[in-house]
């Protein structure tokens, strides 16, 4: 059974800033993992989320396994990935309270 996918505001803003081809690749990859996300996602150390590799980019993912829902939170270039994660550590979960 395919998982649902929700996009946070942060990832939508980041995708708008990326080159069109990169944004399309990321969206296509996100759509492609919905049937078997555990095959594609890597658990992050010292962080409650997961990451998805898409070329030189990493997508920060929240995964509610009970509701079978993936939350695409933000996209980072690989070289900045771990430096950027710190800003989400304290507010994890609050990004989806905006609904």
């Amino acid at each position: 059974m395919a998982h649902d996918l929700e996009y946070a505001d942060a990832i939508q803003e980041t995708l708008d800033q990326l080159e069109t081809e990169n944004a399309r690749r990321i969206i296509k990859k996100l759509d492609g993992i919905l049937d078997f996300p555990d095959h594609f996602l890597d658990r992050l150390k010292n962080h409650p989320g997961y990451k998805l590799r898409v070329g030189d980019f990493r997508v920060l993912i929240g995964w509610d396994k009970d509701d079978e829902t993936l939350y695409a939170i933000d996209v980072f270039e690989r070289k900045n990935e771990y430096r950027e994660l710190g800003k989400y550590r304290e507010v994890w979960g609050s990004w989806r309270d905006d609904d």
Side-chain angles (χ1 to χ4, degrees):
M1 178 185 220
H3 285 63
D4 293 325
L5 176 63
E6 294 187 23
Y7 289 87
D9 291 340
I11 193 170
Q12 291 175 346
E13 292 172 12
T14 303
L15 290 172
D16 288 343
Q17 295 171 3
L18 293 176
E19 292 182 24
T20 304
E21 184 59 33
N22 289 331
R24 285 185 184 150
R25 281 182 38 226
I26 291 166
I27 292 169
K28 183 177 179 182
K29 183 73 171 196
L30 284 166
D31 290 340
I33 71 167
L34 296 177
D35 287 328
F36 301 103
D38 50 347
H39 179 72
F40 297 96
L41 298 178
D42 295 320
R43 183 92 174 144
L44 295 169
K45 295 178 184 176
N46 300 318
H47 195 279
Y50 295 81
K51 70 178 176 182
L52 173 66
R53 298 178 196 175
V54 185
D56 287 337
F57 295 95
R58 300 297 181 263
V59 183
L60 179 61
I61 303 282
W63 186 0
D64 185 338
K65 292 183 179 184
D66 293 332
D67 290 338
E68 296 185 345
T69 303
L70 298 175
Y71 300 93
I73 300 167
D74 210 347
V75 175
F76 308 101
E77 287 188 68
R78 187 182 75 191
K79 63 183 178 182
N80 297 328
E81 174 185 4
Y82 296 104
R83 284 179 262 160
E84 296 290 333
L85 284 177
K87 70 181 180 181
Y88 292 100
R89 206 172 265 124
E90 293 178 10
V91 295
W92 187 260
S94 65
W95 54 268
R96 61 180 176 180
D97 292 339
D98 297 338
D99 294 339

